Amino acid sequence: MIDFIICEKAGKGKALKTRKKLEKRLNELNVGYKFHVTQAPGHAKKIAEELCEKGSEIIVAVGGDGTIHEVLNGLTALDKIKFGIIPAGTGNDFAAAANIPLNPLEALDLILNGEAKPTDFFNCGDKRGMNIAGAGIDVDILKQFAKAKVIKGKFQYLLSLIHCLIHYKPYRLELTYENGEKVTKQAFIACACNGKRFGGGIRISPNSCPWDGKLELVVINDMKKIKIIGAFIKLMKGTVGTLPQCELSHIEKITIDGKRSIQIDGEIYDFDGCEMSIVSNKLMLYR
C-alpha cells in the first residue's frame, strides 16, 4: 500500500492532472494505493502524522516544495517510513537537486521499481527542512510575493525579486559557526543549503549534494547598489560563488542569533535564535 499526500492546488492545477495519470498507471499495475487530499495549509503535516500512527510504510508527497516540506515535518517514524516525491509544483527545486524525474510517471516508476536511499535533511529550530533555509533578501521576496494580487507563479516571483532588489538595504546577521566563532555580517543573503536552488530555478548553491552529510553555507555580503544587477545575473547563471562578496563553506551546523524571520523551503517562520544542523542517515528517500 502506498499513501499519497496531494495538494491538488499545487502547480496551478498541475497536481490534479498528475493524480489522474498516477491513478491510471497504478490501476493498470494493480498496485494498492490511497490518495489523501490536503484541505488547507498545514494539513499535509497532520495527514503524515496520522499515517505514521497507523503504520504506513510508504508515504509519497505529490506537489511542490511546500508540500514536501509539510510532509517531511509530519513524519514521526523515520525509522519505519520510506518517503517518495512526485514533483507537481511550480518550482520543484528539491526534486531537481535529488535527481527525481519531473515526469510524474517516471517518478512513480522510481518508487515502484527503485530503492529508497539515505538522504539528508536539516533541522532549523523545531522545524525540518529539505531544501534551503535562508535569511535576508529571500525572506523579503517571499513576503512581497505573498502580497501579489495577480496569479502567482515564476513570473510573479521574478517581479517580487526585482522589487526587493530596487529597495534593497543590507541585513544585519549575527552568526555562530560550529567551531564557536561569532561574526556579525552586513549581508545581502545567508543560506544554509541542502538543495541546489530555490525560487523555481535560482541556483544559489549548484555544488550542494543532499546526501553528503553537509550543508553549504552561502553568505553574500553587502555590496553597492550599482553592483547588484551584476550579482543578480551571476545568481541566475549559478555562478554566484565567483563574486568577491560571496563566502562559501561546508558545515554541519550554524546558528543565527537574535530575532529573525527565516524561510525554510519557501515557508517563513519567526525565531528568536535558531540553530540549523544537518541530519544524515535518518530519512530513506526514493531517488
Side-chain angles (χ1 to χ4, degrees), residues 11 28 36 63 67 78 101 121 134 152 166 176 184 191 194 209 215-217 240-241 263:
E28 289 173 350
H36 308 266
T67 304
L78 291 177
F121 64 93
K152 293 182 172 67
I166 292 172
T176 301
T184 299
C191 289
N194 188 42
C209 176
L215 292 168
E216 181 163 81
L217 179 65
V240 71
Q263 69 84 11

Side-chain angles (χ1 to χ4, degrees), residues 15 80 128 152 172 237:
K80 300 176 182 178
R128 292 173 179 164
K152 293 182 172 67
R172 187 176 186 272
K237 288 183 176 180

Side-chain angles (χ1 to χ4, degrees), residues 40-59:
H43 193 201
K45 178 179 181 290
K46 184 177 180 180
I47 293 172
E49 291 171 343
E50 292 172 349
L51 289 173
C52 288
E53 289 178 4
K54 293 177 180 178
S56 178
E57 296 181 353
I58 301 176
I59 296 177

Side-chain angles (χ1 to χ4, degrees), residues 170-269:
Y171 305 85
R172 187 176 186 272
L173 301 176
E174 297 175 349
L175 305 177
T176 301
Y177 288 85
E178 51 197 332
N179 64 1
E181 180 187 4
K182 294 180 179 289
V183 298
T184 299
K185 302 280 188 181
Q186 295 295 326
F188 182 74
I189 191 172
C191 289
C193 306
N194 188 42
K196 299 175 183 291
R197 65 187 214 190
F198 62 2
I202 298 175
R203 293 182 293 163
I204 184 75
S205 182
N207 295 321
S208 288
C209 176
W211 45 85
D212 66 354
K214 297 285 186 179
L215 292 168
E216 181 163 81
L217 179 65
V218 182
V219 179
I220 303 177
N221 293 303
D222 186 27
M223 65 190 76
K224 294 180 179 178
K225 277 198 171 184
I226 195 171
K227 294 185 177 182
I228 288 179
I229 297 301
F232 172 64
I233 292 172
K234 286 183 178 291
L235 182 62
M236 297 301 290
K237 288 183 176 180
T239 58
V240 71
T242 64
L243 285 172
Q245 296 89 355
C246 185
E247 299 176 10
L248 302 176
S249 54
H250 291 281
I251 60 171
E252 293 184 8
K253 67 179 181 179
I254 187 78
T255 300
I256 296 182
D257 299 307
K259 293 183 178 180
R260 174 69 53 185
S261 292
I262 295 175
Q263 69 84 11
I264 309 173
D265 300 340
E267 303 297 322
I268 298 175
Y269 300 95

Side-chain angles (χ1 to χ4, degrees), residues 12 14 22 29 45 54 67 75 113 124 126-127 131-132 140 187 201 205 217 231 243 254 256 258-259 268-269 285-286:
K12 295 184 287 188
K14 181 179 178 181
L22 296 174
L29 297 174
K45 178 179 181 290
K54 293 177 180 178
T67 304
L75 298 181
N113 303 314
C124 185
D126 61 348
K127 307 297 181 184
N131 191 43
I132 291 174
D140 285 349
S205 182
L217 179 65
L243 285 172
I254 187 78
I256 296 182
K259 293 183 178 180
I268 298 175
Y269 300 95
L285 176 72
Y286 290 99

